[in-house]
Amino acid sequence: MNEQHKADSPKWTEIELLPKWDEEYYDVYTAKKHGKWVMLKTLKQPYKDDPRFIAMIEKEFDVRYNLAHPHIVMINDFEDVPTLGRCIITDDVYGDSLATLLEQNKVDASHLDKICNQLVDALDYIQRNHIVHFPVKPETIIFTENIGNLKLIDVGFDQREHLTPADAEEDILNFGKVLSAVLDKVPDASARLRRIAARCTAPDPRDRYTDIHSLRMDIAQRSSNRLYIAIIAFLLIMIGILIWLNSAGAPAKPDNLSHSINIITSQP
């Protein structure tokens, strides 16, 4: 495409509202920017002129712009789009939401595996970066067309120095709800995963996982406690061997070995 053709071509084309992707305060569109597919996120009409919501979308852009994770939709820009106003510009994510797949009974073991791994990875990344976000739910989990890669949208609107225990508990609770919904559609899912989902959604928060790391370890069929016990046991055994070797009851070195050592050390 030559420079004159670029100048004559409209920057924005094929702008289309995606009602099923709408968020509480935002309309979501798909569009082409200079011929490349992107997605647009802009305030719904009742909030466009409200300073509180204008500050909210600006804050979300600032928070999310520097995030980089393979299972989180990335933000590219923040600019005015004709007829829409100020928009957050993200990568195009063409595919189906988990909500759609659940509704159409199209969830299978591969989706379950990605929920247990890719979604947990994304949540771990969000928590490590202290991102405050809206609840994770089937509508905010997208599986891309063809590859079926999991992408999490609507992932943050604020960043703090530290997240509270309640923030971590909410992520674990909502993950458990998502996992339960997927397990209900996968008849041959393991009983172990059902136990994990039940623990995530336990009525008493004290019975749930304390953090994403514990959840990840359980999903991977490992226990951090068992690992620590194994390490401690190994160290105790090694200490015991060293004490025994240096004790009076340790076996004496063979005479021929001592003789060989003396010969070697006495040679010039």
Side-chain angles (χ1 to χ4, degrees), residues 17-78:
L17 178 66
L18 302 175
K20 67 179 182 179
W21 285 45
D22 280 0
E23 300 173 16
E24 185 174 2
Y25 303 110
Y26 300 112
D27 285 327
V28 179
Y29 294 79
T30 184
K32 281 185 177 180
K33 179 182 180 182
H34 294 307
K36 177 184 177 182
W37 284 107
V38 295
M39 297 189 77
L40 313 176
K41 180 175 177 176
T42 188
L43 289 169
K44 290 180 180 291
Q45 194 59 46
Y47 311 116
K48 280 188 177 295
D49 298 321
D50 189 321
R52 296 171 300 171
F53 292 96
I54 293 172
M56 182 182 74
I57 192 171
E58 291 174 349
K59 181 71 172 179
E60 179 167 343
F61 171 75
D62 290 340
V63 168
R64 292 182 57 189
Y65 184 69
N66 291 317
L67 297 182
H69 190 276
H71 304 303
I72 293 176
V73 174
M74 296 293 98
I75 283 181
N76 299 325
D77 212 338
F78 188 43

Side-chain angles (χ1 to χ4, degrees), residues 166-187:
D167 293 322
E169 288 172 5
E170 185 178 10
D171 278 344
I172 289 169
L173 173 62
N174 291 321
F175 172 81
K177 291 177 179 178
V178 168
L179 180 58
S180 294
V182 173
L183 288 170
D184 288 343
K185 299 292 184 178
V186 182

Side-chain angles (χ1 to χ4, degrees), residues 85-238:
R86 202 73 166 157
C87 295
I88 289 175
I89 318 298
T90 76
D91 292 340
D92 180 49
V93 185
Y94 192 74
D96 291 315
S97 70
L98 178 59
T100 297
L101 295 172
L102 288 168
E103 183 181 348
Q104 297 177 353
N105 291 314
K106 292 183 177 179
V107 176
D108 57 29
S110 68
H111 297 107
L112 175 59
D113 179 69
K114 288 166 185 172
I115 291 295
C116 290
N117 293 285
Q118 296 179 357
L119 178 57
V120 172
D121 282 346
L123 288 173
D124 182 42
Y125 179 83
I126 289 169
Q127 289 198 0
R128 283 188 286 107
N129 284 276
H130 311 143
I131 305 298
V132 182
H133 58 94
F134 293 110
V136 172
K137 52 188 178 180
E139 290 80 4
T140 64
I141 300 167
I142 307 299
F143 289 95
T144 59
E145 190 177 44
N146 299 326
I147 298 176
N149 194 30
L150 184 148
K151 293 282 187 177
L152 189 59
I153 62 174
D154 197 18
V155 297
F157 58 86
D158 200 0
Q159 189 169 26
R160 300 174 183 163
E161 284 193 22
H162 302 285
L163 291 181
T164 67
D167 293 322
E169 288 172 5
E170 185 178 10
D171 278 344
I172 289 169
L173 173 62
N174 291 321
F175 172 81
K177 291 177 179 178
V178 168
L179 180 58
S180 294
V182 173
L183 288 170
D184 288 343
K185 299 292 184 178
V186 182
D188 57 347
S190 72
R192 182 178 59 82
L193 288 178
R194 295 189 186 279
R195 288 193 296 271
I196 289 172
R199 182 175 174 186
C200 288
T201 57
D204 188 341
R206 292 174 296 182
D207 295 330
R208 299 173 195 159
Y209 294 96
T210 56
D211 52 42
I212 293 293
H213 175 71
S214 300
L215 171 62
R216 185 201 296 274
M217 295 290 282
D218 211 358
I219 288 174
Q221 293 185 297
R222 294 193 299 269
S223 166
S224 56
N225 288 336
R226 285 199 295 268
L227 178 61
Y228 296 148
I229 290 170
I231 292 173
I232 291 170
F234 174 76
L235 291 174
L236 289 174
I237 291 171
M238 295 303 297

